[in-house]
Amino acid sequence: RPTGSFSRLTRRELSLVTIAGLVWMFINGAYLVLLSFGPIFLLEQGISFAEASLVVSLMSWVFIFSLPLGGYLATRFKAPNVVMFTGLIGAIIIGGLIPYTDMPFVTFLLFGILYAVSAPVVASLPAEVLSPGNRGPGFGIYYIWYYAGSAFLPVVGGYLKDITGTAASSVLFGVAMMIATLLLVGLFRLAQAYVPVRAEFDP
């Protein structure tokens, strides 16, 4: 409900929504890099263009059921942290296997499922810490990080491919961003628990 007044972000809100923005930046950056350079990596492994495109597209097709599944599990069992951390850790493990296995169909499929299961909880983080009166500017800060990362991180993936001569480095960069996501989510939960809650509406 509109309050008719504007309130400033508290320091706690600002710090937590910044961490949440970094989380969203890295998890989406990982997806964009794998989607962009996964087919190139598979072509380097001798897979045809059509098959490489099909395999990597599976990572996105599974979102149709995995995204709502993650939200359902987190809500139904009241275990958002279990769903989020399990999905992120699983995606990191499977993603790290992509350059070293000859089963791309399985690895990209499982990566997409685990990634998508964790995404709904990750996306809800800023709403947990922003008061209703501050959600407008708070989400503005949150999306600044997201759009900045969407523009910059795939460029880094391309640069790594150029200097190493293989898209495997880009794939591993995507996995590294998933690790960064996991660490930042842990930092978010720690800060959320231990940074004292002050008055949500500073004068």
Side-chain angles (χ1 to χ4, degrees):
R1 179 179 301 178
T3 61
S5 62
F6 175 78
S7 57
R8 292 186 305 169
L9 288 168
T10 65
R11 289 184 179 181
R12 180 178 188 272
E13 288 176 318
L14 180 59
S15 61
L16 286 171
V17 82
T18 296
I19 298 171
L22 290 169
V23 169
W24 196 236
M25 178 186 77
F26 279 120
I27 195 172
N28 281 281
Y31 170 74
L32 290 172
V33 166
L34 283 169
L35 189 67
S36 301
F37 296 97
I40 300 173
F41 167 73
L42 295 177
L43 287 172
E44 293 174 353
Q45 306 306 305
I47 296 176
S48 69
F49 177 79
E51 187 177 356
S53 299
L54 173 63
V55 167
V56 176
S57 72
L58 291 172
M59 184 176 65
S60 299
W61 280 108
V62 295
F63 284 12
I64 294 173
F65 67 87
S66 297
L67 282 171
L69 176 63
Y72 171 78
L73 292 174
T75 305
R76 174 67 178 81
F77 297 103
K78 295 181 173 59
N81 285 339
V82 173
V83 172
M84 179 171 59
F85 282 105
T86 300
L88 290 174
I89 293 171
I92 290 168
I93 294 171
I94 297 298
L97 293 175
I98 289 175
Y100 306 108
T101 67
D102 56 357
M103 298 183 295
F105 180 92
V106 175
T107 50
F108 276 94
L109 182 70
L110 290 177
F111 178 88
I113 292 173
L114 292 164
Y115 175 100
V117 163
S118 69
V121 183
V122 172
S124 72
L125 295 180
E128 294 183 15
V129 297
L130 292 170
S131 63
N134 288 339
R135 285 183 181 165
F139 272 97
I141 293 170
Y142 175 76
Y143 280 111
I144 283 174
W145 288 105
Y146 165 64
Y147 286 114
S150 296
F152 175 70
L153 294 172
V155 175
V156 177
Y159 179 72
L160 289 172
K161 178 191 176 299
D162 289 342
I163 63 175
T164 61
T166 173
S169 59
S170 303
V171 171
L172 292 175
F173 174 59
V175 177
M177 284 190 282
M178 292 298 294
I179 295 173
T181 299
L182 178 64
L183 294 175
L184 285 167
V185 166
L187 177 62
F188 180 91
R189 288 303 190 208
L190 285 173
Q192 190 179 24
Y194 293 108
V195 174
V197 180
R198 298 177 181 175
E200 293 294 341
F201 299 95
D202 288 340

